[in-house]
Amino acid sequence: MKDIDKQLIDWAIDTIKSEYKEDVALLIGQKGGCKIPTDPQNVAFDFFVPATNRGYQLCRTFIIEDMGYDLYPISWERLEGIADLNERITFAFMNGVVLYARTKEEEKRFLDLQQTVRRRLADRSYCEKKALEKLEAVMEIYKTMAFAKELGQVRKAAGGIMMYLSYAIATVNGTYINGRFGKDQYVYEVMEMLERPDDYAKNCQEVIGGTTVEEVLKATHHLVETVREFLLGKIKKETEARNYNYEDLASWYYEARYSFRRLAYYTQQEDAFSSYELGCYLQIEFDELENEFGLEHMDLLGTYDVHNLKEYGKKAEQIEQYVLTVLKDQGIAVKIYPDLAHFLEDQNKKERE
């Protein structure tokens, strides 16, 4: 196709200046966006930032020869979300160049947001948090996928899962997926990263090579399992050396004590449903504590036995004692009063101080 990118940029800028001067803040372009290798790889317009509601009217979609064009809006609010690594189109933002700016201040605001992305990607803790959010999105897709009956629907879900997993891996590497195809497609891009599962490309190949619902489901489950183990193992290893605020763990324990107490009661009463429900609640809390404070794995529900609830109750007691031991080892004096009189005496003492 002909090289018309420069003419289209000129057209877009002229249109903004003549019809939307007060309504469009920025026009952003990027090099090679949405093109194939045989197209001219020039900078082309990509999106614009509206300054008013009327600015959204600049939106255009059209075809010239065989090339589709989409001049679409992204609000400042959405750009801020992208800068916080909440979306997968980080590449469109970071590869963006300012083609037109209504004011110098608005151009600076855009460039400052690009710097925010760089700071976010350099923040290991922040990247780990965002990677886990993407992993959560994968688990939600997989739950729906597991009940799908049509091969096309299963493949669609598997594609979404591969994409989210790739973005999660990129995020823990402090980078982003560039959204290209061919030899730079995201599976190959991940394989060039320093930290990633060794068999990632092989496992993805098994997913796209599946010819039945069962084959795609099985391959996707294996892919999710390996990437999940990689991410959780890596993040846990990185958090081991961190400084934790164990006062927060003590605060959690004060609130959780009533759950431990109720579980002890209902296991003694051999109330299977209540014991199971309380165990589920506590297990969710334990899993969070492992990530938040670098604690060892606390598997309560794995010991649940409907025919032996007392042993299950003993496991809960062991976990409770483990948490108390961690607090003691960290020099945290847990406030446990033998009776109301001692509590009131302590409160009066604090008031006098």
Side-chain angles (χ1 to χ4, degrees):
M1 65 172 294
K2 294 179 181 178
D3 182 2
I4 60 173
D5 293 317
K6 179 64 168 60
Q7 293 96 311
L8 284 173
I9 290 172
D10 291 341
W11 163 81
I13 293 174
D14 289 343
T15 302
I16 293 170
K17 288 181 177 180
S18 61
E19 300 179 33
Y20 300 96
K21 188 173 182 179
E22 300 303 322
D23 303 299
V24 172
L26 298 172
L27 176 66
I28 305 298
Q30 66 167 306
K31 187 175 182 179
C34 299
K35 295 185 177 183
I36 60 177
T38 55
D39 292 332
Q41 301 298 305
N42 303 313
V43 173
F45 64 60
D46 188 14
F47 64 90
F48 66 94
V49 181
T52 68
N53 286 334
R54 184 177 180 276
Y56 285 88
Q57 296 176 19
L58 175 63
C59 182
R60 300 282 195 280
T61 52
F62 52 91
I63 298 172
I64 298 177
E65 297 182 29
D66 65 344
M67 177 67 178
Y69 294 88
D70 182 12
L71 180 57
Y72 62 98
I74 297 184
S75 67
W76 283 114
E77 290 74 19
R78 188 180 175 194
L79 282 178
E80 289 168 353
I82 296 171
D84 288 338
L85 308 184
N86 293 333
E87 294 197 39
R88 64 180 183 85
I89 60 169
T90 308
F91 68 92
F93 183 23
M94 294 304 291
N95 296 338
V97 293
V98 177
L99 302 175
Y100 163 85
R102 185 176 64 158
T103 65
K104 289 291 184 182
E105 290 75 18
E106 286 164 320
E107 180 177 12
K108 183 178 183 301
R109 181 178 178 183
F110 179 83
L111 297 176
D112 285 346
L113 282 175
Q114 287 185 325
Q115 284 297 110
T116 296
V117 176
R118 295 184 182 97
R119 287 196 301 272
R120 294 295 196 200
L121 291 172
D123 184 337
R124 186 75 188 194
S125 177
Y126 189 85
C127 285
E128 289 173 355
K129 172 187 170 186
K130 290 300 175 181
L132 290 177
E133 288 178 5
K134 291 170 176 59
L135 182 59
E136 288 177 9
V138 165
M139 303 307 290
E140 288 298 317
I141 296 172
Y142 187 81
K143 283 190 293 186
T144 302
M145 175 188 182
F147 292 95
K149 303 298 182 183
E150 295 182 10
L151 181 58
Q153 293 299 309
V154 172
R155 282 175 169 162
K156 179 180 71 174
I161 285 172
M162 284 194 297
M163 182 171 290
Y164 271 106
L165 290 176
S166 297
Y167 276 79
I169 295 169
T171 302
V172 295
N173 277 273
T175 188
Y176 53 89
I177 298 295
N178 274 296
R180 300 191 182 101
F181 293 91
K183 61 182 178 59
D184 295 321
Q185 194 266 353
Y186 63 76
V187 173
Y188 303 117
E189 195 173 354
V190 167
M191 291 305 295
E192 294 298 317
M193 293 178 184
L194 181 63
E195 302 174 281
R196 39 76 176 169
D198 293 336
D199 295 333
Y200 183 72
K202 176 177 176 291
N203 293 336
C204 287
Q205 183 67 49
E206 291 177 354
V207 172
I208 68 173
T211 58
T212 66
V213 168
E214 291 74 21
E215 286 178 357
V216 177
L217 281 171
K218 181 179 179 181
T220 304
H221 181 275
H222 180 63
L223 174 67
V224 173
E225 183 179 40
T226 56
V227 177
R228 183 174 180 271
E229 289 177 356
F230 162 77
L231 290 172
L232 294 181
K234 175 151 202 54
I235 289 171
K236 184 174 179 60
K237 182 178 180 181
E238 291 291 336
T239 58
E240 286 177 352
R242 290 183 186 167
N243 294 321
Y244 303 106
N245 184 353
Y246 288 97
E247 291 288 355
D248 290 342
L249 179 60
S251 296
W252 172 86
Y253 176 70
Y254 297 138
E255 185 175 344
R257 174 83 271 275
Y258 69 83
S259 295
F260 282 113
R261 183 171 181 267
R262 287 191 296 178
L263 182 58
Y265 174 80
Y266 287 111
T267 53
Q268 290 295 326
Q269 296 300 310
E270 299 188 351
D271 184 333
F273 281 115
S274 296
S275 297
Y276 191 91
E277 179 184 354
L278 286 162
C280 288
Y281 168 76
L282 281 170
Q283 191 65 64
I284 292 171
E285 296 288 298
F286 295 157
D287 293 346
E288 289 292 326
L289 293 179
E290 289 176 26
N291 292 325
E292 190 172 349
F293 297 98
L295 302 184
E296 65 183 39
H297 185 45
M298 297 174 285
D299 181 15
L300 174 60
L301 284 176
T303 65
Y304 179 85
D305 183 348
V306 69
H307 302 297
N308 191 359
L309 293 178
K310 290 183 179 179
E311 287 301 315
Y312 174 61
K314 288 181 181 178
K315 180 62 176 181
E317 292 176 5
Q318 291 172 6
I319 292 174
E320 181 178 9
Q321 289 304 311
Y322 165 65
V323 172
L324 288 171
T325 299
V326 170
L327 291 171
K328 181 180 178 181
D329 292 343
Q330 297 300 322
I332 304 298
V334 179
K335 293 176 287 187
I336 300 177
Y337 301 97
D339 51 42
L340 177 61
H342 283 83
F343 168 77
L344 294 176
E345 180 182 349
D346 186 49
Q347 298 306 303
N348 290 332
K349 180 180 178 182
K350 289 180 180 177
E351 290 178 4
R352 289 194 298 271
E353 294 175 350

